[in-house]
């Protein structure tokens, strides 16, 4: 039976770390609740690993504090922080068996031999590697090695577990299996987990909350639903899921406004998101919020009804089983996408057809304009 570890309440206050001119981490503050699974999600180079290293005690920040249960631990050496760490490359000692690898942190902490043996056995059971304790890393698969690394990170019953792209080196199937294992261990141990990935899907599946990183800063923290439904920036909207983004100048105040641009007809939006008349703005419409109908004699609704209708030519239709995904080229040459559920999709619409893309203004997200988001490196 696995004993519950006490879970840590972790806080970062104004953490900053520079390397030369690069702000690897720039004024990051987060509060992580006991037992929470928080994921840091962002493009490569956005400062995720540096943040984890600051929490673990491998990197000293230039500014800010790390607090565990309201106590500053910024000056404590790594091995005295009671924080477990798993990295992408398993970092196991090749000349030690799985058991010896797992026992290592206990040895460092001066745990007696008999207690050590019991703890190692318990950790092996937790990661489901019973009977494999006497194997060397080279005799284990990648997924098994990563389980040993996980066992080694939890064997001393840390209050917080840090994981930096732990699945990065595994293939898709192993990744999914290990995802489930990590989620089970999180539940069983009740441990606080701080997890790093650049894989949006992984973040969605595993996390209680997600922190979106961008150039050393956190752009937004929230549940997957909050980030998807109520992104506070175009960057977050484009990073979480797929989106159609229209840029323009906002006209009108309050109730209903219009986004006006040279390359597309005015787009009606509800409210003005506090941006005001004349602001440079962006409207984000999720593909599943767009309807696709064949263009024809049916009258196009007036803009003041709140319905937007753009006509374009279908470039591609992808059959998804659950529905269809349409790529539609608008007169300005932009490609837009719509995802329509099986019940509403017209199976006769195909490549080359002229269609109407429509959505109601209440289904779109109005945001301040900003430079396009960087692509995620994988
Ligand atoms: P991520 O984990 O999100 O990919 P990192 O935290 O590894 O990002 O890196 C953030 C930035 O800091 C990058 O520009 C990276 O090149 C830089 N950086 C990280 N570690 C070092 C280091 N030891 N020396 C110099 N630059 C570094
Ligand atoms: Mg990294």
């Amino acid at each position: 039976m696995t004993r519950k570890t006490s879970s840590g309440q972790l806080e970062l206050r104004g953490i900053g770390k520079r390397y030369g001119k690069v702000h690897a981490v720039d004024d990051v503050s987060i509060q992580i609740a006991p037992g929470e699974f928080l994921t840091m999600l962002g493009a490569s180079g956005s400062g995720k690993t540096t943040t984890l290293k600051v929490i673990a005690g491998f990197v000293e920040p230039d500014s800010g504090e790390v607090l565990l249960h309201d106590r500053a631990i910024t000056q404590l050496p790594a091995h005295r922080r009671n924080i477990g760490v798993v990295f992408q490359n398993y970092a196991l000692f090749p000349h030690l068996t799985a058991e010896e690898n797992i026992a290592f942190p206990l040895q460092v902490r001066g745990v007696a031999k008999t207690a050590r043996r019991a703890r190692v056995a318990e950790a092996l059971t937790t990661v489901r590697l019973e009977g494999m304790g006497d194997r060397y890393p080279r005799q284990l698969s990648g997924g098994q090695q990563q389980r040993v690394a996980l066992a080694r990170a939890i064997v001393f019953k840390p209050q917080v577990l840090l994981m930096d792209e732990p699945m990065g080196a595994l293939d898709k199937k192993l990744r999914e299996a290990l995802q489930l294992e990590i989620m089970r261990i999180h539940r069983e141990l009740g441990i606080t987990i701080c997890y790093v990935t650049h894989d949006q899907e992984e973040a969605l599946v595993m996390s209680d909350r997600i922190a979106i990183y961008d150039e050393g800063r956190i752009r937004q923290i929230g549940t997957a639903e909050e980030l998807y439904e109520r992104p506070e920036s175009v960057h977050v909207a484009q990073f979480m899921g797929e989106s159609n983004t229209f840029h323009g100048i906002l006209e009108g105040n309050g109730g209903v406004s219009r986004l006006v641009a040279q390359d597309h007809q005015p787009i009606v939006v509800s409210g003005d998101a506090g941006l005001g008349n004349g602001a440079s703005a962006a409207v984000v419409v999720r593909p599943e919020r767009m309807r696709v109908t064949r263009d024809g004699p049916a009258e196009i609704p007036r803009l003041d009804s709140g319905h937007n209708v753009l006509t374009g030519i279908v470039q591609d239709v992808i059959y998804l089983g659950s529905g269809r995904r349409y790529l539609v080229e608008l007169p300005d040459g932009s490609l837009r996408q719509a995802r329509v559920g099986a019940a509403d999709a017209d199976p006769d619409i195909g490549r080359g057809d002229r269609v109407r893309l429509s959505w109601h203004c209440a289904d779109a997200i109005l945001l301040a304009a900003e430079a396009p988001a960087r692509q995620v490196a994988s």
Side-chain angles (χ1 to χ4, degrees):
M1 184 54 205
T2 314
R3 268 174 294 159
K4 280 218 168 200
T5 10
S6 65
S7 43
Q9 178 199 332
L10 187 68
E11 182 177 352
L12 302 185
R13 272 192 207 154
I15 296 292
K17 178 67 192 176
R18 287 173 71 145
Y19 291 107
K21 288 203 168 95
V22 176
H23 278 275
V25 179
D26 189 4
D27 195 20
V28 161
S29 297
I30 325 179
Q31 287 185 321
I32 306 170
E36 182 169 10
F37 195 126
L38 182 108
T39 296
M40 298 170 182
L41 174 67
S44 176
S46 59
K48 308 178 299 293
T49 293
T50 305
T51 305
L52 274 206
K53 285 183 173 168
V54 166
I55 300 173
F58 302 146
V59 163
E60 195 185 334
D62 302 329
S63 56
E65 292 281 6
V66 181
L67 298 102
L68 191 55
H69 294 297
D70 295 327
R71 192 170 70 100
I73 57 167
T74 326
Q75 302 305 322
L76 274 188
H79 67 275
R80 294 192 44 212
R81 292 191 179 196
N82 208 17
I83 291 175
V85 188
V86 180
F87 290 108
Q88 172 173 345
N89 47 354
Y90 329 116
L92 299 177
F93 301 113
H95 59 288
L96 299 183
T97 63
E99 259 165 13
E100 289 163 350
N101 266 285
I102 298 168
F104 186 77
L106 298 176
Q107 236 165 317
V108 173
R109 287 167 176 77
V111 176
K113 201 165 182 182
T114 37
R116 231 158 50 206
R117 208 172 287 148
R119 293 269 204 102
V120 169
E122 191 186 352
L124 274 170
T125 305
T126 302
V127 299
R128 303 211 163 130
L129 281 182
E130 300 100 323
M132 299 211 192
D134 54 3
R135 294 212 194 165
Y136 287 91
R138 64 171 184 279
Q139 298 171 313
L140 295 166
S141 70
Q144 289 168 336
Q145 288 182 51
Q146 201 52 312
R147 281 167 201 250
V148 174
L150 185 53
R152 186 179 58 180
I154 58 174
V155 71
F156 57 93
K157 305 204 178 295
Q159 296 176 304
V160 176
L161 178 59
L162 309 178
M163 307 182 92
D164 194 354
E165 313 225 13
M167 329 264 202
L170 304 178
D171 65 41
K172 189 170 176 342
K173 228 173 154 179
L174 274 177
R175 238 174 20 232
E176 286 169 1
L178 198 60
Q179 259 177 31
L180 294 176
E181 289 294 287
I182 291 172
M183 289 162 75
R184 176 182 58 78
I185 288 167
H186 174 238
R187 267 196 318 274
E188 280 180 16
L189 302 185
I191 194 171
T192 307
I193 295 186
C194 213
Y195 190 91
V196 162
T197 184
H198 63 258
D199 183 333
Q200 184 202 124
E201 192 75 25
E202 198 168 287
L204 285 178
V205 170
M206 303 179 81
S207 327
D208 293 318
R209 282 189 308 159
I210 300 169
I212 305 282
Y213 264 70
D214 177 34
E215 297 187 337
R217 290 175 161 265
I218 294 181
R219 294 294 293 262
Q220 194 174 347
I221 300 189
T223 63
E225 185 175 341
E226 283 163 359
L227 296 174
Y228 190 80
E229 305 285 343
R230 292 183 293 285
E232 287 163 5
S233 60
V234 174
H235 177 88
V236 170
Q238 294 186 340
F239 207 88
M240 291 297 287
E242 290 162 339
S243 50
N244 296 288
T245 310
F246 300 90
H247 291 274
I249 301 295
L250 208 57
E251 281 185 0
N253 285 306
V256 172
S257 323
R258 289 175 186 212
L259 186 78
V260 179
Q262 279 188 344
D263 52 3
H264 55 76
Q265 67 188 66
I267 286 171
V268 57
V269 294
S270 53
D272 72 347
L275 295 171
N277 193 27
S280 186
V283 168
V284 172
V285 191
R286 298 295 189 187
E288 67 275 13
R289 297 291 186 180
M290 285 202 169
R291 289 162 49 88
V292 180
T293 50
R294 196 175 279 282
D295 192 28
E299 202 177 322
I300 290 182
R302 289 165 50 88
L303 267 188
D304 55 17
S305 70
H307 289 279
N308 288 289
V309 182
L310 305 177
T311 51
I313 305 292
V314 174
Q315 295 298 312
D316 213 348
V317 183
I318 296 149
Y319 176 73
L320 302 169
S322 59
R324 280 162 211 265
R325 200 164 85 99
Y326 300 89
L327 281 179
V328 177
E329 187 179 339
L330 298 184
D332 66 355
S334 64
L335 268 186
R336 306 297 178 174
Q337 51 174 320
R339 209 164 41 234
V340 181
D344 299 316
D346 176 349
D348 294 331
I349 292 177
R351 191 178 309 178
D353 287 346
R354 173 170 287 277
V355 291
R356 293 177 182 178
L357 277 182
S358 58
W359 71 95
H360 191 262
C361 63
D363 287 332
I365 305 160
L366 177 62
L367 296 161
E370 66 182 78
R374 289 184 302 165
Q375 287 301 303
V376 190
S378 48

